[in-house]
Amino acid sequence: MNPESIDVLTAGTNLVPAVEMFGITKRFGDVVANDGVNFHACVGEVHALLGENGAGKSTLTNMLTGIYQPDAGEIRLYEKPLRLTSPRAAIAAGVGMVHQHFKLVPTFTVAENVVLGLSAEHRGVKFRRAAIERRVAELSERYQLAVDPAKKIWQLSVGERQRVELLKVLIREARILVLDEPTAVLTPQEADSLFVTLRSMADDGRTVIFISHKLYEVTAVSDRVTVLRDGRNIATVDTADCDQRSLAALMVGRDVQFDRRVGTHVRGDSEPVLIAANVDADGDDDRGALHAISLSLRAGEILGIAGVAGNGQRELGEVLGGIRRIRSGNIDVCGKQQTCGDPVAFAKSRVAYVPEDRLGTGLAPSLSIADNVALRSFRAAPFARPPFIRRRWLRSHTQELMSRYDVKAPGPETPIRKLSGGNIQKVLLAREFESDPLVLVVASPTRGLDVGAIENVRSLLVTAAERGTGIVLISEDLDEVRAMCDRIAVMYEGRIVGIVDGESADVNTLGLMMAGAT
Amino acid sequence: MSINHNLLVEVAVSGMFYGTPLVFASVGEVITERSGVLNLGVEGMMLMGAAAGSWASIHISGSNPWVLFCATIIGAAAAALVALLHAFLVVTLRVNQIVAGLALTIFAGGAGLSSFLANSWNLAAKPAPHQFQELSVFGWKNAPIIGPLLFHHNVMVYFSWIVVGATSWYLFRTRAGLHLRSVGESPHTADAMGLNVARIRYVNTMVGGALAGVGGVYFSLLIVPTWVDGMTQGRGWIALALVIFGFWRPGLAMIGAYLFGAFASLGLTLQARNVHISPDLLDALPYLMTIVVLIIVSNSGARKRLGAPAALGQPFIRDER
């Protein structure tokens, strides 16, 4: 540890500025991601950076970690103006980043990942495995970040992977820690233990900058909050002086409703439209991803599928949507057995699927809105008079859908990739709803959307349910499933560990189930 | 007849003799691919190395070892320059790696730059004035079995063993090797950890090219030994297959190279013993073997499990917006 860092680590007062960013502006083409943002964080504090998706949080911190360079503005660390021209420069200046999508090499061990790119510590060409593993073990004990240094990353749980990220930052003696939505992949309990770790790091004299759009986390862990909206900084406030409602108003720019339950109440006697029995399926890596999945969905019901990312929800969505094969088991739609992995057959049985990956599997980004609308039903009337597509009809039909679903775009010929996230999702939902589905499988339908679009999408789903469509809603957002679902199934390691009633489910019980406790 | 003229020993020895250029080329390609760069231009680089090495052996004067040393270095350097072009295309300009590699083979290969240079240097049909000789290490060349197998090779064979050992050590035991592999597995991670992805890819693509060049020199100064247009006869492609056969590990790639060499020379060995099997069939054997092996190891996503670098063939772009 160099003398300078000891000074700072022992200072421990809240008044020493650690990070100062003045008038930061960053453009990507025509989009202004940051517009004259000012941001200040002190030594020893946990400082939350709050804002909606697209508000410019990640862009701002990426300039602190040397990934982007600002077009205008100045960055000072510990009152010294600096140009952080690369990740290496930022690391050297004491900034450590824990990315939302972990930056880890899956085939390397924990120790190898921790020391990757580390130069100061180990002179000479040889990689001293034993010494490095010892050092990593020491660090993980000191900060109670339990993880086996000799294990490969792919063998670890998501929570453990995050600890490796934290160890990477700690071994580099970073004095400024930036965490980008660190709880997105954690259960509520894992998140709580992360908060304890973050607090102890701040108490050691580090500065923790914590990016989030979840209000309860911000109020739970931070000392101060800076709110960003549309690329500008709106306010910096002491967390003690505000509550979730006032923060939400700052974040969105208007008053928002909380915990409003929008779910429908399914009629107890309605017929099951979808039954899955004992379904086993493989993941992309040929290892089992789903084990003995059994569930049933009634007409007009919204069934939530909750869980920490990577526990089989994506694969379940693909199976129910008809695009993934299964190894054993049965899927019936309205009493008719389905051929799994045959999307056309599923579509014929009136199963609609809205994937999480909207631009990869949902829509063709370079094609026009009209062409994308036609993608599901182009084979037959009214879309086609085989072998020809009815272009003129398609155009007016698309126009009508765009006004009905409130898609904002210049016209039906606009390529999908030019639309905003919310409008993209609306096109996708419009296409799937128009096939008049009996079963609708939707995965993370509101991820990445702004508050207005989220309300829009949710009310579309509720409308569909009221018309009698059975909806499977896969989401990692516990608030969302609790607000919308009649029942919630929780997945852990490819199994459904339990199904609870949507109205009475509380976060703690769900969190324990997401961690595998039954 | 001594035990050293046993058929198995003879096949093994000639397998090593003919397999050695493949050892250089495939180990070089292992290094390149471990950094995430697929260089399909091995054939072209070998031919450039062969032409440049041949030129050097004619135009440099001095003692035999000195000339051969220089020729090897010059052959390696020529091939490394071709590899540099590939690195520029795929790392800096982010051209599709398969297209760039194929273009490189056409550009430098049998009917391309190597032939053109060799023609204008008048290399053809001139036997190389300096050639590699077989050594008798410790004078043990006549020791039973281990004599011909271990102690009676040309210096290039011994050099290839050093290269294989050094490469294994480099890839799996050094920090530079760790960095190299991280760039091939997850360039975004490497970048976030402050490594220079482009530089690491450039350097290792050129190292791989240089080794392919050494493999080419082995043809023009040892096997043939003179310049013939397209003299590597598709061995560059075999080297690419051996990388997969060897699961991206230098030692296994060497074993594959010797197997191929043994099959390739089987016809000559059998002919010398008056065993009559259609020579066409024997000539086709090594290629058949390659196809069979590739089918086996490429089956059902084996690539992933077998250690193909995860980012192989993918350009690295930091600003993903």
Side-chain angles (χ1 to χ4, degrees):
Chain A
M1 205 176 270
N2 60 44
E4 201 181 351
S5 71
I6 289 174
D7 278 354
V8 175
L9 288 180
T10 47
T13 146
N14 271 349
L15 300 169
V16 185
V19 179
E20 295 167 286
M21 301 172 89
F22 300 101
I24 301 289
T25 297
K26 177 72 182 171
R27 292 183 197 86
F28 296 100
D30 298 337
V31 182
V32 184
N34 281 167
D35 186 1
V37 175
N38 295 308
F39 176 75
H40 306 266
C42 293
V43 169
E45 77 166 336
V46 178
H47 196 124
L49 198 49
L50 179 70
E52 290 194 78
N53 287 301
K57 304 174 304 250
S58 295
T59 308
L60 186 68
T61 45
N62 277 334
M63 284 183 278
L64 192 55
T65 52
I67 291 177
Y68 301 145
Q69 273 71 59
D71 297 327
E74 191 187 32
I75 299 175
R76 291 190 203 160
L77 299 183
Y78 302 104
E79 299 177 276
K80 259 198 323 223
L82 280 174
R83 292 188 60 77
L84 302 164
T85 51
S86 69
R88 180 170 283 264
I91 292 166
V95 180
M97 174 96 185
V98 175
H99 295 267
Q100 185 180 6
H101 303 286
F102 299 149
K103 304 270 186 182
L104 297 168
V105 184
T107 50
F108 284 13
T109 66
V110 170
E112 285 173 335
N113 269 287
V114 168
V115 298
L116 190 63
L118 199 65
S119 47
E121 188 100 352
H122 310 273
R123 267 177 287 278
V125 290
K126 211 163 168 311
F127 176 72
R128 290 183 184 78
R129 191 172 305 274
I132 288 159
E133 284 178 5
R134 238 188 348 263
R135 174 119 172 74
V136 171
E138 271 168 31
L139 259 181
S140 71
E141 193 165 341
R142 199 168 112 213
Y143 285 94
Q144 302 186 348
L145 295 163
V147 61
D148 178 355
K151 270 202 174 156
K152 298 247 163 92
I153 296 298
W154 60 264
Q155 298 171 306
L156 303 182
S157 74
V158 181
E160 287 175 306
R161 288 178 202 194
Q162 189 170 61
R163 285 177 221 149
V164 180
E165 287 281 15
L166 286 168
L167 286 171
K168 269 164 69 175
V169 170
L170 288 172
I171 207 167
R172 283 165 178 75
E173 281 162 14
R175 292 171 286 162
I176 300 161
L177 265 77
V178 185
L179 297 100
D180 191 355
E181 305 209 354
T183 59
V185 293
L186 303 181
T187 64
Q189 284 82 0
E190 283 176 315
D192 285 343
S193 95
L194 172 69
F195 295 155
V196 173
T197 309
L198 294 185
R199 176 51 63 194
S200 79
M201 287 175 181
D203 291 345
D204 275 358
R206 292 186 173 81
T207 304
V208 178
I209 298 169
F210 174 92
I211 302 178
S212 181
H213 59 211
K214 294 184 184 161
L215 298 166
Y216 67 88
E217 289 176 6
V218 169
T219 49
V221 71
S222 69
D223 299 308
R224 287 196 298 161
V225 189
T226 293
V227 182
L228 292 186
R229 193 201 314 151
D230 296 332
R232 298 193 183 82
N233 58 314
I234 299 301
T236 299
V237 293
D238 285 338
T239 312
D241 298 342
C242 43
D243 58 12
Q244 295 193 12
R245 185 173 294 275
S246 61
L247 283 174
L250 284 173
M251 177 165 91
V252 183
R254 60 182 165 85
D255 268 341
V256 278
Q257 301 266 301
F258 268 105
D259 289 324
R260 185 166 56 111
R261 211 183 129 72
V262 291
T264 54
H265 292 282
V266 65
R267 298 177 298 276
D269 57 346
S270 65
E271 289 292 305
V273 284
L274 173 82
I275 295 174
N278 264 318
V279 171
D280 281 30
D282 287 340
D284 295 335
D285 54 1
D286 293 341
R287 276 190 283 261
L290 298 178
H291 310 285
I293 297 283
S294 293
L295 53 83
S296 78
L297 175 73
R298 282 177 306 203
E301 179 185 34
I302 303 183
L303 171 65
I305 308 282
V308 177
N311 276 288
Q313 304 97 302
R314 185 172 61 83
E315 287 82 359
L316 179 61
E318 288 170 358
V319 165
L320 298 180
I323 66 173
R324 180 177 289 277
R325 290 208 189 97
I326 61 176
R327 207 162 357 104
S328 62
N330 255 325
I331 292 182
D332 288 355
V333 176
C334 289
K336 215 179 99 205
Q337 193 178 332
Q338 299 295 310
T339 320
C340 283
D342 182 350
V344 175
F346 270 67
K348 276 195 182 130
S349 305
R350 292 165 63 196
V351 177
Y353 174 48
V354 177
E356 176 180 343
D357 174 21
R358 289 161 212 157
L359 290 181
T361 29
L363 298 164
S366 306
L367 297 186
S368 67
I369 300 174
D371 287 349
N372 273 288
V373 164
L375 271 183
R376 182 173 278 283
S377 344
F378 65 91
R379 286 177 186 80
F383 284 84
R385 197 177 292 120
F388 300 106
I389 303 275
R390 296 172 63 199
R391 277 273 155 207
R392 205 170 309 152
W393 180 86
L394 177 59
R395 201 188 147 78
S396 63
H397 175 65
T398 305
Q399 200 106 55
E400 190 222 313
L401 287 186
M402 283 169 64
S403 68
R404 194 138 47 86
Y405 287 87
D406 193 28
V407 177
K408 294 195 185 69
E413 303 306 325
T414 313
I416 289 289
R417 66 182 144 76
K418 296 208 168 158
L419 305 186
S420 72
N423 283 314
I424 286 172
Q425 185 68 313
K426 281 184 230 165
V427 172
L428 187 51
L429 289 172
R431 182 183 77 200
E432 298 301 326
F433 285 172
E434 284 310 299
S435 64
D436 190 20
L438 291 165
V439 177
L440 178 64
V441 182
V442 285
S444 303
T446 58
R447 171 178 292 176
L449 305 188
D450 60 48
V451 169
I454 288 174
E455 285 175 0
N456 228 314
V457 167
R458 287 185 183 165
S459 74
L460 283 172
L461 290 173
V462 170
T463 315
E466 278 163 358
R467 278 194 330 212
T469 304
I471 297 181
V472 178
L473 171 64
I474 300 170
S475 178
E476 282 146 33
D477 183 345
L478 281 185
D479 295 334
E480 178 164 277
V481 289
R482 283 170 59 227
M484 296 191 62
C485 298
D486 301 297
R487 289 182 302 150
I488 302 171
V490 181
M491 290 192 73
Y492 176 72
E493 292 190 340
R495 291 171 201 282
I496 290 181
V497 288
I499 298 184
V500 295
D501 192 71
E503 215 159 353
S504 57
D506 76 303
V507 173
N508 259 329
T509 327
L510 287 175
L512 284 171
M513 289 165 76
M514 285 160 70
T518 41
Chain B
M1 207 184 259
S2 88
I3 189 159
N4 286 351
H5 292 92
N6 173 294
L7 178 65
L8 272 179
V9 174
E10 276 192 4
V11 167
V13 168
S14 67
M16 289 161 85
F17 178 77
Y18 288 103
T20 297
L22 289 170
V23 174
F24 285 114
S26 59
V27 169
E29 183 69 10
V30 166
I31 296 175
T32 302
E33 291 193 13
R34 281 280 185 178
S35 77
V37 176
L38 179 67
N39 188 351
L40 294 182
V42 180
E43 179 82 357
M45 297 190 298
M46 288 179 85
L47 283 167
M48 281 300 287
S54 179
W55 175 87
S57 81
I58 293 169
H59 288 88
I60 292 176
S61 53
S63 64
N64 210 29
W66 168 248
V67 172
L68 291 172
F69 174 75
C70 290
T72 308
I73 298 292
I74 288 172
L81 280 179
V82 180
L84 174 64
L85 181 62
H86 183 68
F88 176 70
L89 286 172
V90 304
V91 178
T92 305
L93 300 183
R94 301 185 188 118
V95 173
N96 178 307
Q97 299 194 354
I98 293 175
V99 174
L102 291 175
L104 213 63
T105 284
I106 296 167
F107 166 71
L113 189 61
S114 64
S115 301
F116 171 76
L117 290 176
N119 257 318
S120 50
W121 291 334
N122 254 326
L123 297 180
K126 275 185 207 158
H130 300 274
Q131 299 177 9
F132 288 97
Q133 302 296 324
E134 264 135 42
L135 311 173
S136 175
V137 181
F138 311 133
W140 287 359
K141 71 173 181 179
N142 290 324
I145 301 180
I146 58 162
L149 280 183
L150 298 180
F151 300 109
H152 190 212
H153 293 295
N154 61 70
V155 70
M156 291 288 251
V157 173
Y158 297 113
F159 178 49
S160 75
W161 292 355
I162 294 172
V163 165
V164 169
T167 304
S168 291
W169 182 75
Y170 167 61
L171 285 178
F172 302 111
R173 290 281 178 272
T174 68
R175 289 199 304 119
L178 185 73
H179 294 173
L180 157 67
R181 287 185 290 128
S182 76
V183 167
E185 290 286 344
S186 176
H188 289 279
T189 302
D191 181 56
M193 292 297 94
L195 300 176
N196 188 332
V197 173
R199 189 173 67 202
I200 289 175
R201 287 189 164 177
Y202 260 92
V203 168
N204 288 292
T205 303
M206 289 182 70
V207 169
L211 286 174
V214 174
V217 169
Y218 194 96
F219 273 92
S220 64
L221 296 187
L222 228 160
I223 294 187
V224 177
T226 177
W227 169 262
V228 180
D229 271 3
M231 65 190 308
T232 50
Q233 293 178 311
R235 294 297 201 276
W237 300 106
I238 301 295
L240 282 162
L242 289 174
V243 173
I244 303 169
F245 173 82
F247 306 151
W248 289 265
R249 282 168 181 79
L252 293 176
M254 180 169 87
I255 291 170
Y258 286 167
L259 267 178
F260 182 90
F263 275 106
S265 61
L266 197 59
L268 295 175
T269 315
L270 290 180
Q271 240 170 32
R273 290 171 174 252
N274 285 324
V275 180
H276 293 291
I277 303 175
S278 157
D280 296 332
L281 182 69
L282 288 173
D283 283 350
L285 257 186
Y287 299 95
L288 274 177
M289 182 203 86
T290 309
I291 292 171
V292 170
V293 165
L294 284 184
I295 289 171
I296 294 169
V297 300
S298 311
N299 187 30
S300 72
R303 251 171 80 109
K304 225 177 195 170
R305 278 199 293 278
L306 295 179
L312 181 59
Q314 292 170 11
F316 168 67
I317 308 165
R318 184 191 285 171
D319 253 9
E320 269 191 314
R321 281 189 81 116

